[in-house]
Amino acid sequence: MDRLKESLLEAPIIEKEGYHYFVHPISDGVPMLRPELLREIVIKIIRKAELEDVDKIVTPAAMGIHISTAVSLMTDIPLVVVRKRQYGLDGEVSLSQVTGYSESEMYVNDVYEGDSVLVLDDVLSTGGTLAGLTGALEDIGADIRDIVCVIKKADGTNKLDEAGYDAKTLINVEVVDGEVVIVDEHGDD
């Protein structure tokens, strides 16, 4: 995970409404995402995630899409993107997404009762998106086999913890004095 560590240590920090936010290719698409970094991350996800009997990869739009697409291509597991746009399709389920800096509705399509899913996302910070998503997946009756996030901003508890779920992470960081500090280079299991 040398490329991921190096890229995080070089990430600029911005403040958005009192929230310290690192700008990174995985979480923001800037600076550009190099294939070798994406490859390193995807290999680590495949090694860390519980993939046995997983029917679908589920990821929230937008920044989980590139990671989840690459994992889908490597594992042949179909991908479902949870969108911020409502389509009104049969079986569509709405969920509320509340993060440290925004609040919105998201919509799940193509996940059904009994589906075994792997939830993938780029960053676990406040846990608002994943808490809302896991609640919607529970309501649908899906079996959440595993949750994996590339980066965890480890500044205390988050809403996913409060919802009773643990996420595996590849690396855990904090923002201290305007810099990214690596707290655990191996992440959470």
Side-chain angles (χ1 to χ4, degrees), residues 65-83:
I65 295 173
H66 55 294
I67 301 159
S68 299
T69 299
V71 172
S72 176
L73 287 169
M74 295 297 295
T75 61
D76 289 326
I77 300 171
L79 172 61
V80 172
V81 177
V82 179
R83 299 292 313 268

Side-chain angles (χ1 to χ4, degrees), residues 144-181:
I144 302 169
R145 301 285 294 167
D146 210 350
I147 301 169
V148 179
C149 298
V150 177
I151 304 164
K152 178 180 178 182
K153 190 173 175 193
D155 295 60
T157 61
N158 60 65
K159 292 178 184 171
L160 185 63
D161 292 336
E162 294 168 8
Y165 286 96
D166 294 319
K168 294 177 182 171
T169 59
L170 304 190
I171 193 166
N172 299 348
V173 301
E174 287 183 355
V175 176
V176 179
D177 297 328
E179 294 183 7
V180 173
V181 175

Side-chain angles (χ1 to χ4, degrees), residues 7 13 18 41 43 60 80-81 88 94-95 108-109 123 131 138 157 177:
S7 65
I13 307 298
I41 289 166
I43 290 168
V80 172
V81 177
S94 171
L95 65 105
V108 181
N109 284 286
V123 176
E138 284 177 2
T157 61
D177 297 328

Side-chain angles (χ1 to χ4, degrees), residues 2 15 28 42 51 60 62 81 113-114 118 122 126 135 163:
D2 292 336
E15 188 175 327
D28 302 287
V42 168
L51 298 175
V81 177
E113 184 175 351
L118 166 65
D122 59 329
T126 65

Side-chain angles (χ1 to χ4, degrees), residues 22-170:
F22 53 85
V23 180
H24 189 268
I26 290 299
S27 58
D28 302 287
V30 284
M32 76 176 134
L33 176 57
R34 299 201 172 274
E36 58 271 17
L37 175 59
L38 182 58
R39 188 177 308 111
E40 178 183 84
I41 289 166
V42 168
I43 290 168
K44 184 69 172 183
I45 289 170
I46 291 170
R47 289 181 179 157
K48 199 167 224 187
E50 174 59 51
L51 298 175
E52 189 172 337
D53 299 323
V54 169
D55 301 315
K56 297 171 182 173
I57 297 168
V58 177
T59 192
M63 293 312 298
I65 295 173
H66 55 294
I67 301 159
S68 299
T69 299
V71 172
S72 176
L73 287 169
M74 295 297 295
T75 61
D76 289 326
I77 300 171
L79 172 61
V80 172
V81 177
V82 179
R83 299 292 313 268
K84 294 180 181 176
R85 175 180 298 159
Q86 184 174 18
Y87 294 95
L89 300 174
D90 288 341
E92 185 171 72
V93 174
S94 171
L95 65 105
S96 292
Q97 172 198 31
V98 181
T99 69
Y101 50 88
S102 71
E103 187 172 337
S104 63
E105 290 293 309
M106 297 186 81
Y107 302 90
V108 181
N109 284 286
D110 294 319
V111 177
Y112 305 100
E113 184 175 351
D115 283 348
S116 293
V117 301
L118 166 65
V119 177
L120 288 181
D121 205 1
D122 59 329
V123 176
L124 173 58
S125 183
T126 65
T129 300
L130 290 176
L133 179 53
T134 55
L137 292 171
E138 284 177 2
D139 291 346
I140 291 168
D143 175 22
I144 302 169
R145 301 285 294 167
D146 210 350
I147 301 169
V148 179
C149 298
V150 177
I151 304 164
K152 178 180 178 182
K153 190 173 175 193
D155 295 60
T157 61
N158 60 65
K159 292 178 184 171
L160 185 63
D161 292 336
E162 294 168 8
Y165 286 96
D166 294 319
K168 294 177 182 171
T169 59
L170 304 190

